[in-house]
Amino acid sequence: MWLGCSAYFIRLAGCDVGCPWCDTKESWHQRHPSHSVTQLAAAAQAEQPKFVVVTGGEPLMHDLAPLTQALKRQGLRIHLETSGAYPLSGSFDWVTLSPKRSKPPHPSLYGQASELKVVIANPEDFDWATAQAAQVPPGTVKLLQPEWNTPDSQAWIVDYVKHHPDWRVSLQTHKFLGVR
């Protein structure tokens, strides 16, 4: 939904969801350099982004209240990208719920979703996407994202969106642009 906007990413370590296509598997078990919430908030504010994205790994494995409070004190808009496997902690302006079959969302997360993003790696994933969409509030932005290593998924999604206009195509543009 926020494609092309200036964003500052805070990537937290730790994940037990285990997506086979994960492009950040190093976050599953390795520790990232430790920074205090004050340091993170100051670094984010110094970049003057449109918003800050808290992501992972799986960020909700952590209590995010102290981090979001520090970011809010800096006057920053805060987005969360999560599989939803754990209950929400912290205060967010936008929540991207990207549910995974391996560890489905905690029921409380569906009502918090501003955006639903489902990765499509095979045709059966459209059924999963439909089931997930039925649980989010009306007006939630619904996105289908091709699994990067499954070239056919792009064509499947384009065809699906043609016949289901309430869905949009989502691409990992940072990969196309070579931005890390």
Short mmCIF file of all heavy atoms in Angstrom, two decimals, residues 61-111:
data_model
loop_
_atom_site.label_atom_id
_atom_site.label_comp_id
_atom_site.label_asym_id
_atom_site.label_seq_id
_atom_site.Cartn_x
_atom_site.Cartn_y
_atom_site.Cartn_z
N MET A 61 6.94 -11.29 18.63
CA MET A 61 7.54 -12.16 19.65
C MET A 61 8.09 -11.31 20.80
O MET A 61 8.42 -11.83 21.85
CB MET A 61 8.68 -12.99 19.03
CG MET A 61 8.20 -14.05 18.08
SD MET A 61 9.56 -14.99 17.33
CE MET A 61 10.15 -15.92 18.75
N HIS A 62 8.17 -9.99 20.56
CA HIS A 62 8.71 -9.04 21.54
C HIS A 62 7.59 -8.12 22.04
O HIS A 62 6.62 -7.89 21.34
CB HIS A 62 9.79 -8.17 20.88
CG HIS A 62 10.85 -8.95 20.18
ND1 HIS A 62 11.93 -9.49 20.84
CD2 HIS A 62 10.99 -9.29 18.88
CE1 HIS A 62 12.70 -10.13 19.97
NE2 HIS A 62 12.15 -10.02 18.77
N ASP A 63 7.78 -7.58 23.22
CA ASP A 63 6.87 -6.55 23.73
C ASP A 63 7.26 -5.24 23.03
O ASP A 63 8.33 -4.68 23.30
CB ASP A 63 6.99 -6.40 25.24
CG ASP A 63 6.12 -5.28 25.80
OD1 ASP A 63 5.33 -4.67 25.03
OD2 ASP A 63 6.24 -4.99 27.00
N LEU A 64 6.42 -4.77 22.15
CA LEU A 64 6.74 -3.60 21.33
C LEU A 64 6.28 -2.28 21.95
O LEU A 64 6.54 -1.22 21.38
CB LEU A 64 6.15 -3.76 19.93
CG LEU A 64 6.67 -4.99 19.17
CD1 LEU A 64 6.01 -5.09 17.81
CD2 LEU A 64 8.18 -4.96 19.04
N ALA A 65 5.64 -2.33 23.10
CA ALA A 65 5.15 -1.10 23.73
C ALA A 65 6.28 -0.10 24.01
O ALA A 65 6.15 1.09 23.64
CB ALA A 65 4.37 -1.41 25.00
N PRO A 66 7.40 -0.49 24.62
CA PRO A 66 8.46 0.50 24.86
C PRO A 66 9.00 1.12 23.57
O PRO A 66 9.25 2.32 23.52
CB PRO A 66 9.54 -0.30 25.60
CG PRO A 66 8.81 -1.44 26.23
CD PRO A 66 7.72 -1.79 25.25
N LEU A 67 9.17 0.31 22.54
CA LEU A 67 9.67 0.82 21.27
C LEU A 67 8.69 1.80 20.63
O LEU A 67 9.07 2.89 20.22
CB LEU A 67 9.98 -0.32 20.31
CG LEU A 67 10.43 0.08 18.91
CD1 LEU A 67 11.71 0.92 18.94
CD2 LEU A 67 10.62 -1.16 18.03
N THR A 68 7.42 1.43 20.58
CA THR A 68 6.46 2.33 19.93
C THR A 68 6.27 3.61 20.73
O THR A 68 6.08 4.67 20.15
CB THR A 68 5.10 1.63 19.65
OG1 THR A 68 4.52 1.18 20.88
CG2 THR A 68 5.28 0.46 18.70
N GLN A 69 6.36 3.53 22.05
CA GLN A 69 6.27 4.75 22.86
C GLN A 69 7.43 5.69 22.55
O GLN A 69 7.24 6.91 22.40
CB GLN A 69 6.24 4.40 24.35
CG GLN A 69 4.96 3.73 24.78
CD GLN A 69 5.06 3.08 26.16
OE1 GLN A 69 6.09 3.17 26.83
NE2 GLN A 69 4.01 2.41 26.57
N ALA A 70 8.63 5.13 22.42
CA ALA A 70 9.81 5.96 22.11
C ALA A 70 9.69 6.57 20.72
O ALA A 70 10.04 7.74 20.51
CB ALA A 70 11.08 5.12 22.22
N LEU A 71 9.20 5.80 19.76
CA LEU A 71 9.02 6.33 18.40
C LEU A 71 7.95 7.42 18.37
O LEU A 71 8.12 8.44 17.69
CB LEU A 71 8.67 5.19 17.43
CG LEU A 71 9.77 4.16 17.19
CD1 LEU A 71 9.21 2.93 16.47
CD2 LEU A 71 10.91 4.77 16.37
N LYS A 72 6.87 7.22 19.10
CA LYS A 72 5.81 8.23 19.16
C LYS A 72 6.33 9.53 19.78
O LYS A 72 5.97 10.62 19.34
CB LYS A 72 4.60 7.71 19.95
CG LYS A 72 3.80 6.66 19.25
CD LYS A 72 2.97 7.23 18.14
CE LYS A 72 2.11 6.15 17.51
NZ LYS A 72 1.45 6.61 16.31
N ARG A 73 7.17 9.40 20.81
CA ARG A 73 7.75 10.61 21.42
C ARG A 73 8.58 11.40 20.41
O ARG A 73 8.74 12.61 20.56
CB ARG A 73 8.60 10.24 22.65
CG ARG A 73 7.78 9.92 23.88
CD ARG A 73 8.62 9.86 25.15
NE ARG A 73 9.64 8.83 25.13
CZ ARG A 73 9.46 7.57 25.53
NH1 ARG A 73 8.28 7.17 25.97
NH2 ARG A 73 10.46 6.71 25.49
N GLN A 74 9.10 10.73 19.41
CA GLN A 74 9.87 11.41 18.35
C GLN A 74 8.94 11.96 17.26
O GLN A 74 9.40 12.53 16.27
CB GLN A 74 10.87 10.43 17.72
CG GLN A 74 11.97 9.99 18.64
CD GLN A 74 12.96 11.11 18.94
OE1 GLN A 74 13.08 12.09 18.22
NE2 GLN A 74 13.67 10.98 20.05
N GLY A 75 7.64 11.74 17.43
CA GLY A 75 6.67 12.26 16.46
C GLY A 75 6.58 11.43 15.19
O GLY A 75 6.14 11.93 14.15
N LEU A 76 6.94 10.16 15.28
CA LEU A 76 6.98 9.31 14.09
C LEU A 76 5.70 8.50 13.92
O LEU A 76 5.09 8.05 14.89
CB LEU A 76 8.17 8.36 14.18
CG LEU A 76 9.53 9.05 14.16
CD1 LEU A 76 10.63 8.12 14.62
CD2 LEU A 76 9.83 9.59 12.76
N ARG A 77 5.32 8.32 12.68
CA ARG A 77 4.22 7.42 12.31
C ARG A 77 4.80 6.01 12.29
O ARG A 77 5.89 5.78 11.75
CB ARG A 77 3.68 7.82 10.95
CG ARG A 77 2.55 6.98 10.46
CD ARG A 77 2.02 7.50 9.11
NE ARG A 77 1.11 6.56 8.54
CZ ARG A 77 -0.19 6.49 8.80
NH1 ARG A 77 -0.73 7.35 9.62
NH2 ARG A 77 -0.96 5.58 8.24
N ILE A 78 4.07 5.03 12.85
CA ILE A 78 4.63 3.69 13.02
C ILE A 78 3.75 2.64 12.34
O ILE A 78 2.54 2.57 12.59
CB ILE A 78 4.76 3.33 14.52
CG1 ILE A 78 5.45 4.45 15.29
CG2 ILE A 78 5.53 2.02 14.67
CD1 ILE A 78 5.32 4.31 16.79
N HIS A 79 4.41 1.84 11.50
CA HIS A 79 3.75 0.72 10.83
C HIS A 79 4.32 -0.58 11.39
O HIS A 79 5.48 -0.63 11.80
CB HIS A 79 4.00 0.76 9.33
CG HIS A 79 3.36 1.92 8.64
ND1 HIS A 79 3.09 1.90 7.30
CD2 HIS A 79 2.93 3.13 9.08
CE1 HIS A 79 2.53 3.03 6.93
NE2 HIS A 79 2.42 3.80 8.01
N LEU A 80 3.52 -1.62 11.36
CA LEU A 80 3.94 -2.95 11.78
C LEU A 80 3.71 -3.91 10.63
O LEU A 80 2.66 -3.86 9.97
CB LEU A 80 3.11 -3.41 12.99
CG LEU A 80 3.30 -4.86 13.45
CD1 LEU A 80 4.70 -5.06 14.04
CD2 LEU A 80 2.23 -5.24 14.46
N GLU A 81 4.68 -4.77 10.37
CA GLU A 81 4.48 -5.88 9.44
C GLU A 81 4.69 -7.16 10.22
O GLU A 81 5.77 -7.39 10.78
CB GLU A 81 5.42 -5.82 8.24
CG GLU A 81 5.14 -6.97 7.31
CD GLU A 81 5.44 -6.70 5.85
OE1 GLU A 81 5.71 -5.55 5.49
OE2 GLU A 81 5.39 -7.68 5.09
N THR A 82 3.64 -7.99 10.28
CA THR A 82 3.64 -9.18 11.12
C THR A 82 2.87 -10.32 10.48
O THR A 82 1.95 -10.09 9.69
CB THR A 82 3.01 -8.85 12.50
OG1 THR A 82 3.00 -10.04 13.29
CG2 THR A 82 1.60 -8.31 12.37
N SER A 83 3.25 -11.53 10.87
CA SER A 83 2.47 -12.70 10.47
C SER A 83 1.21 -12.78 11.35
O SER A 83 0.28 -13.50 11.03
CB SER A 83 3.29 -13.98 10.64
OG SER A 83 3.49 -14.26 12.01
N GLY A 84 1.25 -12.08 12.47
CA GLY A 84 0.12 -12.08 13.39
C GLY A 84 0.10 -13.28 14.32
O GLY A 84 -0.90 -13.51 15.01
N ALA A 85 1.17 -14.03 14.36
CA ALA A 85 1.21 -15.26 15.16
C ALA A 85 1.09 -15.01 16.67
O ALA A 85 0.80 -15.94 17.42
CB ALA A 85 2.49 -16.04 14.86
N TYR A 86 1.30 -13.78 17.09
CA TYR A 86 1.25 -13.43 18.51
C TYR A 86 0.32 -12.23 18.70
O TYR A 86 0.12 -11.44 17.78
CB TYR A 86 2.65 -13.08 19.02
CG TYR A 86 3.58 -14.26 19.01
CD1 TYR A 86 4.36 -14.53 17.89
CD2 TYR A 86 3.64 -15.12 20.09
CE1 TYR A 86 5.19 -15.64 17.86
CE2 TYR A 86 4.48 -16.23 20.07
CZ TYR A 86 5.24 -16.48 18.95
OH TYR A 86 6.05 -17.58 18.93
N PRO A 87 -0.21 -12.05 19.92
CA PRO A 87 -1.07 -10.89 20.18
C PRO A 87 -0.32 -9.57 19.96
O PRO A 87 0.89 -9.50 20.13
CB PRO A 87 -1.47 -11.05 21.65
CG PRO A 87 -1.27 -12.49 21.95
CD PRO A 87 -0.13 -12.94 21.09
N LEU A 88 -1.08 -8.57 19.63
CA LEU A 88 -0.51 -7.24 19.38
C LEU A 88 0.00 -6.62 20.68
O LEU A 88 -0.65 -6.70 21.72
CB LEU A 88 -1.59 -6.33 18.77
CG LEU A 88 -1.11 -4.96 18.30
CD1 LEU A 88 -0.19 -5.09 17.10
CD2 LEU A 88 -2.32 -4.10 17.94
N SER A 89 1.18 -6.02 20.59
CA SER A 89 1.71 -5.18 21.66
C SER A 89 2.22 -3.91 21.01
O SER A 89 2.68 -3.93 19.88
CB SER A 89 2.82 -5.89 22.43
OG SER A 89 3.93 -6.17 21.59
N GLY A 90 2.11 -2.79 21.68
CA GLY A 90 2.52 -1.52 21.11
C GLY A 90 1.36 -0.81 20.45
O GLY A 90 0.24 -1.33 20.36
N SER A 91 1.64 0.39 19.98
CA SER A 91 0.63 1.24 19.34
C SER A 91 1.08 1.58 17.92
O SER A 91 2.17 2.14 17.74
CB SER A 91 0.46 2.51 20.17
OG SER A 91 -0.43 3.39 19.54
N PHE A 92 0.24 1.26 16.94
CA PHE A 92 0.62 1.41 15.53
C PHE A 92 -0.41 2.22 14.77
O PHE A 92 -1.61 2.16 15.05
CB PHE A 92 0.79 0.03 14.88
CG PHE A 92 1.92 -0.74 15.48
CD1 PHE A 92 1.70 -1.61 16.55
CD2 PHE A 92 3.21 -0.58 15.04
CE1 PHE A 92 2.73 -2.30 17.13
CE2 PHE A 92 4.26 -1.26 15.61
CZ PHE A 92 4.02 -2.12 16.66
N ASP A 93 0.09 2.94 13.77
CA ASP A 93 -0.79 3.71 12.88
C ASP A 93 -1.28 2.85 11.72
O ASP A 93 -2.29 3.18 11.09
CB ASP A 93 -0.02 4.92 12.33
CG ASP A 93 0.42 5.83 13.45
OD1 ASP A 93 -0.45 6.39 14.14
OD2 ASP A 93 1.65 5.97 13.65
N TRP A 94 -0.55 1.79 11.41
CA TRP A 94 -0.88 0.92 10.27
C TRP A 94 -0.36 -0.47 10.59
O TRP A 94 0.78 -0.62 11.04
CB TRP A 94 -0.21 1.45 9.01
CG TRP A 94 -0.57 0.74 7.75
CD1 TRP A 94 0.08 -0.33 7.19
CD2 TRP A 94 -1.65 1.03 6.88
NE1 TRP A 94 -0.54 -0.71 6.03
CE2 TRP A 94 -1.61 0.12 5.81
CE3 TRP A 94 -2.67 1.97 6.89
CZ2 TRP A 94 -2.53 0.11 4.77
CZ3 TRP A 94 -3.59 1.99 5.85
CH2 TRP A 94 -3.51 1.07 4.81
N VAL A 95 -1.19 -1.48 10.37
CA VAL A 95 -0.78 -2.86 10.61
C VAL A 95 -0.95 -3.66 9.33
O VAL A 95 -2.05 -3.77 8.79
CB VAL A 95 -1.60 -3.51 11.75
CG1 VAL A 95 -1.24 -4.99 11.90
CG2 VAL A 95 -1.39 -2.77 13.06
N THR A 96 0.17 -4.20 8.85
CA THR A 96 0.15 -5.13 7.72
C THR A 96 0.19 -6.53 8.29
O THR A 96 1.16 -6.92 8.93
CB THR A 96 1.35 -4.90 6.78
OG1 THR A 96 1.28 -3.58 6.25
CG2 THR A 96 1.35 -5.90 5.64
N LEU A 97 -0.89 -7.26 8.05
CA LEU A 97 -0.99 -8.65 8.49
C LEU A 97 -0.66 -9.53 7.30
O LEU A 97 -1.32 -9.46 6.27
CB LEU A 97 -2.40 -8.94 9.01
CG LEU A 97 -2.70 -10.39 9.40
CD1 LEU A 97 -1.78 -10.84 10.54
CD2 LEU A 97 -4.17 -10.53 9.78
N SER A 98 0.40 -10.32 7.45
CA SER A 98 0.82 -11.24 6.39
C SER A 98 0.78 -12.65 6.96
O SER A 98 1.80 -13.20 7.39
CB SER A 98 2.22 -10.87 5.89
OG SER A 98 2.58 -11.67 4.78
N PRO A 99 -0.42 -13.25 6.99
CA PRO A 99 -0.60 -14.54 7.66
C PRO A 99 0.10 -15.69 6.95
O PRO A 99 0.22 -15.70 5.72
CB PRO A 99 -2.12 -14.73 7.63
CG PRO A 99 -2.57 -13.96 6.44
CD PRO A 99 -1.64 -12.79 6.33
N LYS A 100 0.56 -16.64 7.75
CA LYS A 100 1.25 -17.82 7.22
C LYS A 100 0.55 -19.08 7.71
O LYS A 100 0.17 -19.17 8.88
CB LYS A 100 2.72 -17.82 7.68
CG LYS A 100 3.48 -16.52 7.41
CD LYS A 100 3.52 -16.16 5.94
CE LYS A 100 4.42 -15.00 5.61
NZ LYS A 100 3.99 -13.69 6.01
N ARG A 101 0.44 -20.06 6.82
CA ARG A 101 -0.21 -21.32 7.19
C ARG A 101 0.52 -22.05 8.30
O ARG A 101 -0.09 -22.74 9.12
CB ARG A 101 -0.28 -22.25 5.97
CG ARG A 101 -1.21 -21.80 4.90
CD ARG A 101 -1.17 -22.83 3.79
NE ARG A 101 -1.77 -22.32 2.58
CZ ARG A 101 -2.66 -22.99 1.86
NH1 ARG A 101 -3.02 -24.19 2.22
NH2 ARG A 101 -3.15 -22.46 0.78
N SER A 102 1.84 -21.93 8.32
CA SER A 102 2.64 -22.68 9.29
C SER A 102 2.36 -22.25 10.74
O SER A 102 2.55 -23.04 11.65
CB SER A 102 4.13 -22.53 8.99
OG SER A 102 4.50 -21.17 9.03
N LYS A 103 1.91 -21.03 10.92
CA LYS A 103 1.57 -20.52 12.26
C LYS A 103 0.53 -19.42 12.07
O LYS A 103 0.87 -18.24 11.98
CB LYS A 103 2.82 -20.00 12.97
CG LYS A 103 2.59 -19.77 14.45
CD LYS A 103 3.90 -19.65 15.19
CE LYS A 103 3.56 -19.54 16.65
NZ LYS A 103 4.62 -20.02 17.49
N PRO A 104 -0.74 -19.79 11.96
CA PRO A 104 -1.80 -18.81 11.67
C PRO A 104 -1.88 -17.69 12.70
O PRO A 104 -1.41 -17.83 13.84
CB PRO A 104 -3.08 -19.66 11.68
CG PRO A 104 -2.61 -21.05 11.40
CD PRO A 104 -1.25 -21.15 12.07
N PRO A 105 -2.50 -16.59 12.30
CA PRO A 105 -2.60 -15.44 13.20
C PRO A 105 -3.38 -15.71 14.48
O PRO A 105 -4.31 -16.51 14.49
CB PRO A 105 -3.34 -14.40 12.35
CG PRO A 105 -3.06 -14.79 10.95
CD PRO A 105 -3.00 -16.29 10.96
N HIS A 106 -2.96 -15.01 15.52
CA HIS A 106 -3.74 -14.96 16.76
C HIS A 106 -5.07 -14.30 16.40
O HIS A 106 -5.08 -13.30 15.66
CB HIS A 106 -2.97 -14.14 17.81
CG HIS A 106 -3.59 -14.18 19.14
ND1 HIS A 106 -4.58 -13.30 19.52
CD2 HIS A 106 -3.37 -15.01 20.21
CE1 HIS A 106 -4.94 -13.57 20.75
NE2 HIS A 106 -4.22 -14.60 21.20
N PRO A 107 -6.19 -14.82 16.87
CA PRO A 107 -7.49 -14.26 16.46
C PRO A 107 -7.64 -12.75 16.68
O PRO A 107 -8.35 -12.08 15.93
CB PRO A 107 -8.49 -15.03 17.33
CG PRO A 107 -7.79 -16.31 17.67
CD PRO A 107 -6.32 -15.97 17.75
N SER A 108 -6.97 -12.20 17.67
CA SER A 108 -7.10 -10.77 17.96
C SER A 108 -6.49 -9.89 16.89
O SER A 108 -6.79 -8.70 16.83
CB SER A 108 -6.45 -10.46 19.31
OG SER A 108 -5.05 -10.67 19.25
N LEU A 109 -5.62 -10.43 16.05
CA LEU A 109 -4.92 -9.60 15.06
C LEU A 109 -5.79 -9.24 13.87
O LEU A 109 -5.60 -8.20 13.25
CB LEU A 109 -3.64 -10.31 14.56
CG LEU A 109 -2.35 -9.83 15.17
CD1 LEU A 109 -1.94 -8.47 14.72
CD2 LEU A 109 -2.32 -9.96 16.65
N TYR A 110 -6.73 -10.09 13.51
CA TYR A 110 -7.54 -9.82 12.32
C TYR A 110 -8.23 -8.46 12.37
O TYR A 110 -8.23 -7.72 11.39
CB TYR A 110 -8.58 -10.92 12.12
CG TYR A 110 -7.97 -12.24 11.69
CD1 TYR A 110 -7.88 -13.30 12.58
CD2 TYR A 110 -7.49 -12.42 10.40
CE1 TYR A 110 -7.33 -14.51 12.20
CE2 TYR A 110 -6.94 -13.63 10.01
CZ TYR A 110 -6.86 -14.67 10.91
OH TYR A 110 -6.30 -15.86 10.53
N GLY A 111 -8.79 -8.11 13.51
CA GLY A 111 -9.48 -6.84 13.64
C GLY A 111 -8.57 -5.63 13.61
O GLY A 111 -9.04 -4.50 13.44
#
